[in-house]
Amino acid sequence: MLSETSRLLLTERLKNYPPDRKASAVIYACYLAQEDNPDHYISQQDVRDIADLLDMDATEVQGVIGFYSLLYEQPMGKYVIHYCNDLPCTLRGADQFLHVLEHKLGISHGETTPDGLFTLEEAMCLGACHRAPCMQINLEFQEFLTDDKVDRIIDMLRAGEPLRANMADAVQLLPQSPLA
Amino acid sequence: MTTLTIDGQVFDVAPGTTVLEAALANRIDIPRLCYHPDLVPSGGCRLCLVEVEGRPNPQASCGLKCDEGLVVHTQSDRLTALRRDIIDLFVSDHPLRCAVCDKNGACDLQRYAYQYGISETAYDFELSRPLFQEDNPFFVRDHQYCILCNKCVRVCDEIVGANAIEVAGRGFTSHVATPFDGPMVDSACVFCGSCVQVCPTAALLPTSRLRKGREWELTRQRTICGYCGVGCGVEFATQGQQIIYAQGYRAAPVNGEFLCVKGRFGWDFAQHPDRLTQPLVRRDLLEPRPPTADGRPLATATTPTEETVTSDGQRSSVGGPPSAVRGRPSGPGVRRPSVVGRPSADFVPVSWEQALDIIATKLADTVKTHGSDAVAGLSSARCTNEENYLFQKLFRATIGTNNVDHCARLCHSSSVTGLGMAFGSGAMTNPIRDIRNADCILITGSNTAESHPVISYEVVRATKLGANLVIIDPRRVPLVDHATLFLQPKPGTDIYIFLAMAHVILREGWADTAFIAGRTEGFEAFEYSVREVTPQVAALMSGVPAELIEQAARMYALGQRADAPSADGRPQTADGSQTDNTDYALRNTQSIARGHSTILYAMGITQRSNGTELVLTLANLAMLSGQIGKPSTGVNPLRGQSNVQGACDMGALPNVLPGYQPVTDAAKRQAVAQAWDLADLPAQPGITVVEMMHAVLAGKVKAMYVMGENPMLSDPNLTHVEEALRALDFLVVQDIFMSETAQLAHVVLPAASYLEKDGTFTNTERRVQMVAPVLPAPGQSLPDWQIVGQVGEKLEAKLGHAAEKAAAWRYTSTTAIMDEIARVTPSYGGIHHHRLSGEGLTWPCPTDDHPGTPILHTAKFTRGLGKFHAVPVNLPAEQPDADFPLILTTGRILYHYHTGTMTRRSEGLNWRESRGYAEVHPYDAEQAGLRDGGPALVTSRRGQVRTQVRVTDRVPQGTIFLSFHWKEAPANVLTQDFKLDPLAKIPEYKVCAVRIESPKAAAQGKQAAGAVEA
């Protein structure tokens, strides 16, 4: 279910579009629904609600969710880790820190830890090759990764520290991720 | 015109044509997988790449508009290399199991793989989407064969408007999916199979063709669908004496490739074991014996050769296991349960000779003893023109009475009467294909998507192109999802809305004054009659906001498009105040820029005790706005049965001869009589369907002959109908199944279905098309024209008429009958079988060289001037009161047709919808203590039916809806027959007063009432 706040946000956003083009806001609506959900995914009920709110068919909404890799149809961990395995990152040792991650979390890619904290997913290039190797946790970038940094990021999140970009670095490299 | 060069040849094409269209139109083949001429190009498959001189990269020709001077090459080494690679990529994710594939020989991918020599893939991928889904009895989905061309998704959205499927997932997990990958039945799917039709591979296949033969092993026959009045062309693929599958074909003038669920999948009734295969006669009629003490005839009189046949036509009719519901349909070996009830009389099979003898003797005796008018006949809107013609000729020429009618009386007699009064011709004024180009479509009293699905595809197309759709209906019909305006009046009050629309059009100066002055009469009285009916009055009476009525009036009168630049409600004048809409100015030379508006209506208008008046009101609106006599305009009654238009045209009506020549017109009557070699014909109009039942009980009609009709389910007030049919001295029923009516007959004759005979059907747009046999007729059953011919021959002899008269009934073919029709029917004067191949002909077609008339009333109305009628406001005859507080309205549902004799014997259709139900508004359900899916009793002053509740807001509060297909819950037990339309004699099926209650509450109520009485 979309929260009251999300509904207000969506109503506000819909003012940007003509009344018969509500579908333009579908990605935003999906994003809001996913943020509202404690399991970090868009439920079937959400899909129906969004379809109703935006004058779409449920199949169309589902098609959009299926297409975008950051919109989820299944329950996810609190932190979804997208690690990049594309060429620049791999040349800079990405496959090595993947093993570290898998070992540290006790899961392989595509899985969620039993405590529901982490989900590990492959990604094809996050657009941050100049800071390779990198990964994205929810929407926050973690860059110039090393074994040690990966280890510390997981520990910090387990300890309940708030998620932020480059959280293992003393100096913030990026102000904020653009979508946050 | 735009000039371009393709492969060195120069072509002139219309502006806006794409390169691919231009090439295909000129027989230059460009490979393509995702292109379909009826769909918006998607450019997804990339196979249609072409080289354009001056452009460095190849372009997808499906989306490339022809520019002046474009030079295109469709073949080059580079293109071949690219296409090979693209095909290779498709093949890499498609199993190359052509040897065991049902689509072998008809697969587009296979064809291109062959042309470009791709025998195996260079890409070593594992096949994705290993998913085979068989969740409905109509078609299977094999995702492995899917090449994601998206044609199915697009056809579902752009043509059908159902939007049931969409591509889900990405990359290798992309697949065509229903919502949440659930079964088709839980999606918005209407099972029309259009997706199956356009699928280029074996990803979507009709279940009926699985492992039943490859393309080259099948025989193809094109014919016309026998269900509703749209008249779709269907191509049947058969092997031996089995239909393997049915599909649409592009050349079909009405539907192109698209069909609905009944046309594409509803043909299996033809080979149902319940089919009648031999003439049957009631035992007591064959050997009259004194009845036993309990009133039953003696059962011991069988001769050794006789077999007892129960009234469902079966020798061994003990029911097998009920066929599987949901999931796999039962296999060929599984006996399907009979839907007809237990025997009500003993029937004995006899020879044709014997059956015809009995019929001729009985009918001749009746004529001799009680006079010609003691015989009445019901002809059939599901039989061909030739058969209807012979049937009415049998009554008029041989028996000598005008007592012949058919079920058009019960559906569109008010259209025939009303449009006849206003325009002079009671039929659709414009062709179905016109609808897609309309700017505004007004639909009222028609559940088009369910009753005429293929016409609803045209409407959906028009709305996708930017047309306005206005729906005026008490029920929230499925097309409302595509509508710009939805006006939901209280049942019976729509007349106020139409009058108020006329009021607004006059007030705002939107009327087409030139048209009114030049082509119509009676305007002053009409104008006076709507002066007081303001939108505010209409709003008060109908519950529809006045503003919506004003908007509807504007859209309709001006033919405004949804995407028109000016939608502010001001008239667009051609004097410069509105210059940006040149399109309209060009189309219309009147002072007001006017688009094209069309009215579609059906039984919600006609099946009313003021049906004729409502039809006149719609005709008034069209003339007032000048929206008639041009393409994409007109007043269009959508007719419900395959040949209901033709049956009317052929004079299977009590007041007119073939071609609507009144029986009271001595000159016309005598001309027909002369053609039939008679001095004169009966001049007194006969009695109509409902009047026949009254006349039987009054002792005026003694014998009836019913051809292919089932009044025991279709007529109003069934209890009364049954009483009447049982009171007859003699009843002959000619049908394909032992219908509820046939069970009451004395003689039952087995007829061939539309799949087993030839002849012509006239569809709702007046198009006469050829019907061709696909299967042999089962057993001894015969086409109706042969049966009627033989009855005619015998009856002439028994009546003691001259021998030539009997000989005249020996027709050798339907072609000969059609030639005779052309001689006596002016509007069919030029219609002969040899002219009907291809697109058929639309009447009026008076001479052999006449091309037919797709649009009526172009230069002048059939009656000369169009006539405005001042229409009084009449409300439905029966209004709700304290005892019967709800309004019942009846109609059809998508999966069934008429009284269900055919569709309920079709496995798939019956799987999808196997029980009747009542649509009840949530509020009314709560008031009556009913739950969704629970039982309910619906009671009117005339009877009671038990049915299932479906709680839905499709109906407004205070109204319930029942479909009339179900013999277990016959809606027509409830409907009224006391007040007919005074002119058309149509009963009011759409409104009667009822109450609904749960069976428990009803029992308690009875107890309480009993206690009070005690």
Side-chain angles (χ1 to χ4, degrees):
Chain A
M1 276 290 285
L2 278 170
S3 68
E4 217 35 60
T5 322
S6 297
R7 279 173 193 268
L8 286 174
L9 284 169
L10 185 59
T11 312
E12 198 56 35
R13 178 64 63 95
L14 281 173
K15 290 178 183 161
N16 296 349
Y17 310 113
D20 58 336
R21 302 280 164 84
K22 289 186 189 162
S24 310
V26 63
I27 293 180
Y28 186 62
C30 290
Y31 169 77
L32 291 174
Q34 187 164 297
E35 289 291 292
D36 284 347
N37 192 313
D39 288 327
H40 212 69
Y41 78 111
I42 304 155
S43 68
Q44 294 196 357
Q45 190 53 50
D46 286 333
V47 172
R48 292 202 185 90
D49 288 349
I50 292 168
D52 279 350
L53 285 169
L54 304 182
D55 294 342
M56 297 173 73
D57 289 305
T59 29
E60 288 178 302
V61 177
Q62 200 200 6
V64 170
I65 296 168
F67 183 77
Y68 288 101
S69 57
L70 289 175
L71 298 175
Y72 309 119
E73 291 177 280
Q74 305 298 330
M76 301 300 260
K78 184 179 177 192
Y79 300 111
V80 183
I81 302 172
H82 286 271
Y83 70 90
C84 176
N85 63 359
D86 219 338
L87 189 65
C89 284
T90 305
L91 289 174
R92 299 261 289 166
D95 47 349
Q96 182 196 330
F97 86 73
L98 168 61
H99 292 305
V100 175
L101 260 177
E102 288 187 335
H103 183 73
K104 181 95 183 163
L105 298 173
I107 53 172
S108 16
H109 72 88
E111 294 177 351
T112 303
T113 53
D115 60 2
L117 212 50
F118 296 101
T119 301
L120 196 53
E121 294 232 310
E122 274 181 297
M124 283 273 199
C125 192
L126 297 169
C129 310
H130 61 308
R131 289 153 188 250
C134 66
M135 65 183 183
Q136 208 182 6
I137 303 183
N138 293 355
L139 293 173
E140 302 297 349
F141 278 90
Q142 314 294 331
E143 299 155 334
F144 293 129
L145 291 173
T146 61
D147 292 3
D148 178 48
K149 274 198 199 177
V150 169
D151 208 49
R152 272 196 292 141
I153 290 168
I154 301 299
D155 283 342
M156 288 161 93
L157 290 175
R158 278 191 176 149
E161 272 195 45
L163 173 70
R164 59 179 192 276
N166 290 312
M167 58 194 294
D169 293 304
V171 184
Q172 281 293 301
L173 293 173
L174 272 179
Q176 277 267 292
S177 114
L179 263 171
Chain B
M1 291 304 252
T2 309
T3 308
L4 83 165
T5 311
I6 305 177
D7 291 349
Q9 291 173 265
V10 181
F11 301 112
D12 283 334
V13 298
T17 312
T18 64
V19 171
L20 181 59
E21 284 164 354
L24 293 179
N26 293 293
R27 294 169 178 272
I28 295 172
D29 192 34
I30 298 177
R32 63 214 176 267
L33 283 168
C34 72
Y35 169 80
H36 189 281
D38 286 320
L39 301 176
V40 178
S42 78
C45 76
R46 312 313 289 174
L47 258 191
C48 70
L49 294 176
V50 291
E51 304 270 11
V52 180
E53 281 184 16
R55 299 189 190 178
N57 294 324
Q59 314 264 312
S61 60
C62 64
L64 182 64
K65 291 271 191 307
C66 294
D67 284 339
E68 186 62 39
L70 214 60
V71 181
V72 176
H73 300 280
T74 68
Q75 305 293 336
S76 74
D77 289 347
R78 178 163 75 152
L79 288 175
T80 304
L82 284 169
R83 286 175 187 158
R84 279 184 60 96
D85 208 37
I86 291 164
I87 295 162
D88 194 348
L89 280 165
F90 277 121
V91 168
S92 73
D93 201 15
H94 180 101
L96 285 179
R97 290 191 219 115
C98 299
V100 292
C101 180
D102 287 295
K103 209 64 183 280
N104 191 354
C107 168
D108 288 349
L109 183 61
Q110 186 191 40
R111 183 172 128 220
Y112 294 128
Y114 170 80
Q115 275 181 16
Y116 286 84
I118 308 290
S119 59
E120 56 188 15
T121 177
Y123 298 92
D124 189 21
F125 296 139
E126 235 176 78
L127 288 175
S128 61
R129 305 184 295 269
L131 182 61
F132 180 80
Q133 285 175 293
E134 188 175 9
D135 56 11
N136 70 74
F138 303 113
F139 54 85
V140 294
R141 292 181 281 159
D142 195 340
H143 295 262
Q144 236 174 44
Y145 288 89
C146 176
I147 57 168
L148 290 169
C149 67
N150 263 7
K151 279 205 274 192
C152 52
V153 175
R154 284 146 62 208
V155 81
C156 194
D157 177 20
E158 292 174 27
I159 308 282
V160 181
N163 235 351
I165 45 176
E166 196 70 41
V167 176
R170 70 201 298 253
F172 279 111
T173 65
S174 315
H175 62 291
V176 176
T178 53
F180 321 117
D181 286 319
M184 286 311 297
V185 72
D186 290 343
S187 73
C189 181
V190 291
F191 296 102
C192 66
S194 298
C195 50
V196 180
Q197 175 93 30
V198 298
C199 181
T201 68
L204 288 164
L205 284 175
T207 310
S208 60
R209 80 171 286 183
L210 292 180
R211 295 167 295 283
K212 289 278 174 59
R214 275 103 21 114
E215 282 304 304
W216 58 88
E217 296 167 320
L218 306 178
T219 312
R220 285 164 192 290
Q221 177 65 56
R222 290 178 177 184
T223 185
I224 302 301
C225 177
Y227 284 108
C228 78
V230 178
C232 297
V234 190
E235 184 175 271
F236 284 92
T238 57
Q239 194 178 28
Q241 297 183 353
Q242 292 288 324
I243 295 175
I244 305 301
Y245 68 95
Q247 62 177 14
Y249 59 93
R250 201 145 182 83
V254 179
N255 57 310
E257 288 168 65
F258 307 110
L259 295 168
C260 76
V261 61
K262 296 189 284 290
R264 193 182 298 274
F265 300 115
W267 37 260
D268 51 334
F269 72 89
Q271 291 179 325
H272 194 281
D274 281 357
R275 276 295 293 273
L276 293 174
T277 53
Q278 47 198 337
L280 302 172
V281 173
R282 248 186 225 219
R283 185 186 301 280
D284 48 350
L285 196 74
L286 209 58
E287 298 169 34
R289 276 163 191 277
T292 54
D294 62 352
R296 289 173 53 83
L298 285 170
T300 48
T302 40
T303 60
T305 52
E306 272 180 5
E307 274 177 286
T308 300
V309 177
T310 57
S311 66
D312 58 357
Q314 284 305 298
R315 258 171 241 147
S316 53
S317 66
V318 184
S323 68
V325 264
R326 288 222 174 178
R328 275 197 65 83
S330 48
V334 179
R335 251 196 67 80
R336 290 172 283 192
S338 159
V339 284
V340 175
R342 292 299 96 204
S344 61
D346 255 358
F347 284 101
V348 179
V350 295
S351 67
W352 272 107
E353 189 65 28
Q354 211 174 350
L356 293 168
D357 239 19
I358 293 171
I359 294 167
T361 313
K362 285 281 183 181
L363 290 181
D365 285 353
T366 311
V367 171
K368 283 174 192 158
T369 332
H370 302 284
S372 299
D373 288 337
V375 184
L378 291 180
S379 193
S380 177
R382 291 162 292 278
C383 287
T384 62
N385 285 323
E386 290 78 356
E387 290 159 351
N388 276 288
Y389 171 79
L390 289 193
F391 193 83
Q392 61 88 32
K393 185 180 173 187
L394 177 78
F395 273 76
R396 294 202 159 103
T398 306
I399 298 173
T401 175
N402 279 317
N403 288 346
V404 59
D405 203 359
H406 71 286
C407 66
R409 178 68 48 207
L410 309 174
C411 55
H412 267 300
S413 54
S414 21
S415 295
V416 173
T417 318
L419 295 184
M421 286 160 69
F423 305 148
S425 191
M428 258 178 94
T429 57
N430 286 60
I432 293 166
R433 281 271 170 116
D434 261 18
I435 298 170
R436 67 176 68 165
N437 298 321
D439 300 306
C440 174
I441 302 168
L442 172 69
I443 301 183
T444 178
S446 162
N447 181 2
T448 322
E450 295 200 60
S451 299
H452 303 89
V454 174
I455 292 185
S456 81
Y457 304 165
E458 291 287 322
V459 175
V460 170
R461 279 179 141 181
T463 59
K464 300 269 173 194
L465 290 170
N468 267 319
L469 173 60
V470 180
I471 294 184
I472 304 175
D473 206 302
R475 260 178 104 208
R476 195 181 197 289
V477 293
L479 266 185
V480 169
D481 291 345
H482 300 270
T484 332
L485 288 184
F486 174 42
L487 284 62
Q488 195 171 20
K490 290 180 224 154
T493 61
D494 47 357
I495 179 94
Y496 284 105
I497 295 182
F498 303 136
L499 295 177
M501 281 174 69
H503 177 99
V504 174
I505 292 170
L506 285 165
R507 184 186 71 196
E508 298 291 325
W510 294 331
D512 190 337
T513 43
F515 186 90
I516 295 168
R519 299 213 27 205
T520 66
E521 60 184 343
F523 175 71
E524 291 72 22
F526 160 72
E527 192 203 355
Y528 187 76
S529 75
V530 298
R531 225 171 255 182
E532 303 297 319
V533 194
T534 60
Q536 285 69 29
V537 170
L540 202 66
M541 299 307 293
S542 66
V544 175
E547 193 189 327
L548 283 185
I549 300 174
E550 286 171 352
Q551 284 180 26
R554 185 191 70 225
M555 284 178 191
Y556 174 73
L558 302 180
Q560 279 184 335
R561 297 182 69 77
D563 54 6
S566 165
D568 61 355
R570 300 314 307 160
Q572 299 165 348
T573 52
D575 59 11
S577 60
Q578 183 72 51
T579 48
D580 52 347
N581 200 355
T582 48
D583 196 14
Y584 292 128
L586 280 177
R587 277 193 196 171
N588 200 308
T589 53
Q590 309 296 339
S591 61
I592 292 178
R594 207 183 284 276
H596 292 194
S597 296
T598 183
I599 297 178
L600 309 180
Y601 73 92
M603 257 125 277
I605 293 296
T606 59
Q607 287 180 341
R608 303 268 291 275
S609 59
N610 58 340
T612 307
E613 291 164 10
L614 282 159
V615 172
L616 287 172
T617 317
L618 296 176
N620 287 344
L621 276 179
M623 290 188 289
L624 183 61
S625 317
Q627 298 287 10
I628 187 159
K630 293 175 288 187
S632 303
T633 64
V635 181
N636 297 297
L638 309 181
R639 312 207 60 169
Q641 288 163 35
S642 50
N643 196 35
V644 65
Q645 183 67 51
C648 291
D649 299 345
M650 290 303 111
L653 297 169
N655 58 335
V656 289
L657 295 163
Y660 305 99
Q661 306 176 83
V663 293
T664 47
D665 184 327
K668 288 182 173 158
R669 189 177 67 238
Q670 270 153 16
V672 176
Q674 205 169 14
W676 291 345
D677 204 14
L678 289 167
D680 202 355
L681 290 166
Q684 180 71 25
I687 47 177
T688 63
V689 174
V690 182
E691 289 170 333
M692 279 178 197
M693 301 304 164
H694 293 307
V696 174
L697 289 176
K700 289 180 198 150
V701 167
K702 300 286 182 188
M704 277 183 76
Y705 184 173
V706 177
M707 172 172 85
E709 293 240 326
N710 192 8
M712 268 300 291
L713 220 46
S714 64
D715 288 15
N717 197 356
L718 290 182
T719 321
H720 179 253
V721 173
E722 178 166 357
E723 217 180 306
L725 293 178
R726 283 192 191 277
L728 281 168
D729 288 351
F730 187 62
L731 173 63
V732 188
V733 174
Q734 180 173 319
D735 211 309
I736 61 172
F737 288 109
M738 185 57 93
S739 67
E740 289 70 22
T741 308
Q743 286 176 29
L744 303 178
H746 296 87
V747 180
V748 180
L749 302 175
S753 76
Y754 73 92
L755 292 166
E756 299 142 7
K757 60 185 170 193
D758 66 352
T760 56
F761 282 162
T762 306
N763 78 350
T764 183
E765 56 170 4
R766 297 169 282 107
R767 187 183 297 277
V768 186
Q769 304 184 98
M770 283 303 294
V771 176
V774 173
L775 295 170
Q780 298 172 30
S781 62
L782 289 174
D784 295 272
W785 63 271
Q786 290 183 16
I787 305 176
V788 176
Q790 290 181 33
V791 169
E793 188 182 338
K794 292 244 186 223
L795 188 54
E796 294 278 3
K798 294 276 182 198
L799 284 168
H801 295 163
E804 309 87 74
K805 288 263 188 292
W809 279 100
R810 283 185 213 122
Y811 291 96
T812 51
S813 68
T814 52
T815 311
I817 304 172
M818 197 44 149
D819 291 342
E820 183 177 320
I821 293 172
R823 280 198 296 279
V824 302
T825 316
S827 54
Y828 278 63
I831 297 182
H832 302 281
H833 283 183
H834 70 266
R835 292 189 67 196
L836 296 178
S837 58
E839 300 221 323
L841 284 167
T842 41
W843 66 257
C845 174
T847 55
D848 285 357
D849 52 2
H850 193 284
T853 314
I855 302 177
L856 292 178
H857 320 306
T858 44
K860 70 183 190 66
F861 285 98
T862 313
R863 72 181 288 279
L865 291 176
K867 186 162 169 41
F868 280 100
H869 287 81
V871 172
V873 174
N874 281 312
L875 291 178
E878 198 175 64
Q879 294 289 338
D881 55 24
D883 288 339
F884 300 99
L886 301 175
I887 292 174
L888 169 73
T889 184
T890 64
R892 280 186 187 171
I893 62 168
L894 173 62
Y895 299 96
H896 288 284
Y897 173 72
H898 214 247
T899 64
T901 45
M902 298 184 329
T903 50
R904 295 197 65 194
R905 288 183 178 85
S906 167
E907 268 186 43
L909 298 175
N910 214 37
W911 165 86
R912 184 62 183 79
E913 214 62 88
S914 59
R915 301 175 63 177
Y917 56 85
E919 288 183 358
V920 186
H921 187 271
Y923 176 84
D924 297 327
E926 202 194 312
Q927 289 294 305
L930 300 168
R931 62 179 173 81
D932 192 45
L937 291 174
V938 185
T939 316
S940 80
R941 288 190 174 82
R942 291 152 296 278
Q944 185 175 61
V945 299
R946 190 192 166 96
T947 185
Q948 205 187 164
V949 175
R950 194 168 285 186
V951 178
T952 168
D953 56 4
R954 270 176 82 163
V955 285
Q957 189 192 321
T959 302
I960 64 172
F961 170 84
L962 279 174
S963 54
F964 72 105
H965 312 295
W966 316 94
K967 70 182 179 62
E968 305 86 349
N972 284 324
V973 164
L974 307 169
T975 47
Q976 62 98 345
D977 64 343
F978 62 85
K979 177 147 191 295
L980 306 177
D981 180 286
L983 296 165
K985 306 285 171 63
I986 195 168
E988 191 156 47
Y989 287 108
K990 290 300 175 197
V991 185
C992 75
V994 294
R995 67 164 175 264
I996 190 165
E997 57 206 331
S998 71
K1000 212 185 267 175
Q1004 282 167 357
K1006 243 178 227 159
Q1007 268 179 2
V1012 170
E1013 273 168 31

